[in-house]
Amino acid sequence: MYSIIFTLIILLLLFLKKRKKGEKIDFHTFLWATLGTLLISGVFFFLSERIVSFANAFLFDKKYEAKVVKYDYMEGDSESAPTRITIVEFKNEQNKTIQKSIGYGTSHPIEIGKTITITYKEGDKYFTNMNLGEQKLIVSFVLIFFVIFTIGMIIITLFALDKDLYLILKIAKDFVKYFIIPGALLSLLYPLSSAIWETYQGQRDDLSVWALGFSSFFVLLLTLVFFGYFRMLFKK
């Protein structure tokens, strides 16, 4: 709903800008502007809602100390192992023991026996994990994409208002150069290196020798690319 309202406002501003300049009002231009604005604003408001919801739960909802007791399993495809869904156990305000699921599967679930802080409201199907340290990858992706789409929203708004875009485009370019590209490389490095480390530690046995070899090769390659990229930046 918010994205539709924002898109309508942007289209009105674009219409007024073109009319003021005496430019031709082209249907295809407005069509692409509509689709692009809907996409960018839709993702922005979706991520904003998730961040606000988490912040609200973190600040105001009742917290519980829950222990990871087991996993449920979600079948993968023919070439991948089933993903594990974390199940925790805790006592609610009535001192009743409850088991609840986190609601999604992952190949790197929270360890069984570990105690985490959660929020839960009576009747909720799933609990919300408040331990950001256990969700580094998800939190990183959400924050990075939130910043990207926030910049996109600013660019769209400034363009519709016919303002100078030089400063915001320079910020966007530097953000991509110094954060997005290194972040993308790290997001590939982290799961591969974690899988290799856990295999060598005996914590997982679902990687074949070939998979382990390919993972090691790509970790080496990505590490060289990562440090080579930063070397290039600092040389400039």
Side-chain angles (χ1 to χ4, degrees), residues 147-166:
V147 172
I148 290 172
F149 283 93
T150 298
I151 292 173
M153 293 284 281
I154 295 171
I155 290 173
I156 289 171
T157 304
L158 291 177
F159 178 77
L161 293 171
D162 202 22
K163 301 295 183 182
D164 185 13
L165 297 176
Y166 173 77

Side-chain angles (χ1 to χ4, degrees), residues 186-203:
L186 287 174
S187 70
L188 293 172
L189 264 172
Y190 177 74
L192 288 173
S193 57
S194 294
I196 294 169
W197 176 255
E198 289 173 4
T199 300
Y200 281 123
Q201 291 293 307
Q203 297 175 9

Side-chain angles (χ1 to χ4, degrees), residues 21-123:
K21 290 183 174 182
E23 296 177 355
K24 182 182 177 182
I25 299 173
D26 183 63
F27 170 77
H28 291 94
T29 301
F30 274 81
L31 176 62
W32 287 113
T34 302
L35 294 176
T37 306
L38 277 174
L39 174 63
I40 292 172
S41 62
V43 175
F44 171 79
F45 287 117
F46 172 79
L47 294 175
S48 299
E49 183 183 353
R50 291 294 177 271
I51 292 172
V52 170
S53 176
F54 183 88
N56 184 66
F58 186 82
L59 294 171
F60 304 112
D61 285 359
K62 172 74 175 174
K63 312 287 192 308
Y64 299 95
E65 294 299 310
K67 187 175 182 180
V68 179
V69 291
K70 63 178 181 178
Y71 303 132
D72 275 347
Y73 291 87
M74 181 185 300
E75 289 297 328
D77 57 35
S78 59
E79 297 181 356
S80 62
T83 55
R84 290 168 285 184
I85 304 171
T86 302
I87 307 294
V88 301
E89 184 176 279
F90 62 98
K91 291 184 181 293
N92 64 7
E93 291 179 299
Q94 289 77 41
N95 208 34
K96 179 182 176 183
T97 300
I98 296 176
Q99 284 192 0
K100 283 290 175 180
S101 162
I102 199 169
Y104 59 85
T106 174
S107 58
H108 296 82
I110 306 167
E111 298 173 11
I112 290 178
K114 190 162 189 175
T115 300
I116 60 174
T117 302
I118 68 168
T119 60
Y120 167 77
K121 291 180 181 178
E122 200 66 36

